[in-house]
């Protein structure tokens, strides 16, 4: 059987509720390669609508969660709530969460633990900043992100370990990472994860993925798919991307 191709779409805060519903309907109408696994991370307020529209055709999940189940945490939504709504996956540690909202490696770990308890598959996002890359700290930063997320954690049997390598300088900038460099980093991520979790991870690349460059990433042996932001939020660019996978 062909290797699975993961096409994950992060709609961020780009769409209002009406636009979200329209885009979800348009997503459902496209045809996708038989070996593709599609997951969509819509704005929180529209998650229920999107789940209804997809009707189990695609996975749906939040872009952020909180680890406690209930309590006085104004403005947060718990992983447990998303589970009850029917979410199967959740992004965690996205570059925008880490850098705009100052989420730490410790926060990320607590969120992952809460998700595992609930049976939600975490999609761990990680990456270095331009500054860290310039100072030759890329490996050190990534290794500490992954160790903090996975060290001594009990990973449920049968649950995939999904890691998205998203260099911060490539997210939303139009400046995508050289595919060979993404592959080099993906192989490091695979090795570290395999040592910590005793299983091979699914590694995705994210950061300015477009119709014209997706094939380069998918041809890399350690990359199983992509996490797409901007280009996933318009049906024209998303369909171009999907077409170029086939
Ligand atoms: P981008 O975002 O495709 O707009 O660079 C990727 C992401 O944030 O997951």
């Amino acid at each position: 059987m062909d290797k699975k191709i993961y096409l994950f779409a992060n709609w961020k805060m780009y769409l209002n509720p009406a636009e979200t519903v329209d885009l979800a309907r348009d997503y459902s109408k496209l045809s996708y390669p038989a070996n593709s696994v599609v997951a969509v991370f819509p704005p929180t307020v529209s998650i229920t609508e999107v789940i209804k529209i997809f009707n189990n055709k695609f996975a749906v999940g939040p872009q952020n969660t909180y680890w406690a189940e209930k309590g006085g945490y104004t403005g947060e939504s718990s992983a447990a709530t998303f589970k009850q709504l029917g979410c199967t996956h959740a992004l965690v540690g996205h570059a925008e969460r880490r850098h705009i909202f100052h989420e730490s490696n410790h926060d990320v770990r607590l969120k992952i633990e809460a998700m595992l308890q609930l049976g939600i598959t975490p999609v761990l996002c990680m990456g270095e900043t331009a500054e860290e890359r310039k100072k030759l700290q890329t490996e050190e930063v990534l290794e500490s992100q992954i160790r903090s997320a996975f060290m001594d954690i009990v990973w449920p049997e049968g649950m995939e370990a999904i890691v998205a390598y998203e260099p911060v300088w490539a997210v939303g900038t139009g400046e995508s990472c050289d595919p060979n460099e993404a592959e080099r980093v993906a192989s490091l991520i695979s090795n570290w994860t395999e040592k910590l979790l005793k299983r091979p991870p699914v590694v995705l690349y994210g950061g300015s993925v477009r119709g014209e460059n997706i094939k380069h990433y998918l041809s890399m042996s350690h990359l199983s798919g992509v996490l797409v932001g901007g280009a996933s939020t318009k049906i024209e660019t998303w369909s171009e991307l999907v077409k170029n996978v086939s």
Side-chain angles (χ1 to χ4, degrees):
M1 204 183 86
D2 281 352
K3 159 174 143 175
K4 281 199 233 170
I5 297 175
Y6 294 73
L7 302 174
F8 282 16
N10 174 10
W11 292 352
K12 309 195 185 189
M13 205 182 73
Y14 283 121
L15 307 162
N16 68 28
E19 291 163 342
T20 305
V21 163
D22 285 348
L23 185 62
R25 291 204 177 110
D26 289 341
Y27 263 52
S28 300
K29 290 181 206 144
L30 289 181
S31 54
Y32 295 81
N35 55 336
S36 60
V37 179
V38 177
V40 176
F41 302 90
T44 301
V45 291
S46 301
I47 277 193
T48 303
E49 281 296 302
V50 172
I51 288 176
K52 261 193 235 149
I53 293 166
F54 289 161
N55 193 20
N56 295 321
K57 191 170 172 194
F58 308 135
V60 178
Q63 301 165 11
N64 180 37
T65 58
Y66 196 66
W67 55 84
E69 194 185 333
K70 279 187 176 166
Y73 303 102
T74 302
E76 294 292 324
S77 301
S78 68
T81 309
F82 292 113
K83 174 76 182 179
Q84 286 152 20
L85 294 181
C87 294
T88 53
H89 292 64
L91 298 183
V92 59
H94 187 275
E96 286 152 9
R97 299 295 321 166
R98 292 180 191 262
H99 296 284
I100 303 174
F101 300 102
H102 311 295
E103 230 172 76
S104 66
N105 278 343
H106 181 63
D107 297 329
V108 169
R109 171 64 179 240
L110 292 175
K111 291 177 185 205
I112 293 175
E113 285 175 1
M115 287 175 205
L116 296 184
Q117 290 251 330
L118 293 157
I120 294 178
T121 305
V123 179
L124 170 64
C125 305
M126 49 187 290
E128 79 290 354
T129 62
E131 183 72 15
E132 288 159 348
R133 178 161 280 268
K134 213 165 81 204
K135 290 192 193 147
L136 306 177
Q137 293 169 340
T138 300
E139 284 80 358
E140 188 190 316
V141 168
L142 298 178
E143 193 175 0
S144 77
Q145 289 176 350
I146 213 147
R147 287 179 76 78
S148 161
F150 291 157
M151 200 159 73
D152 298 329
I153 205 163
V154 180
W155 205 264
E157 224 16 80
M159 179 178 281
E160 286 181 310
I162 308 180
V163 181
Y165 171 53
E166 299 204 303
V168 180
W169 47 270
V171 171
T173 59
E175 193 192 335
S176 55
C177 180
D178 177 87
N180 292 308
E181 173 59 7
E183 164 66 10
R184 185 186 74 82
V185 173
S187 92
L188 291 173
I189 290 175
S190 288
N191 286 338
W192 292 325
T193 306
E194 206 154 347
K195 281 204 189 100
L196 293 164
L197 298 185
K198 313 281 178 277
R199 73 189 64 207
V202 169
V203 187
L204 315 181
Y205 167 75
S208 301
V209 175
R210 303 280 180 269
E212 63 268 21
N213 61 21
I214 186 166
K215 269 242 155 49
H216 303 310
Y217 297 108
L218 297 181
S219 67
M220 296 293 160
S221 63
H222 288 90
L223 290 172
S224 304
V226 287
L227 175 56
V228 188
S232 73
T233 61
K234 293 196 181 74
I235 198 60
E236 297 75 21
T237 43
W238 178 250
S239 56
E240 173 83 14
L241 210 138
V242 172
K243 198 177 73 203
N244 288 346
V245 171
S246 320

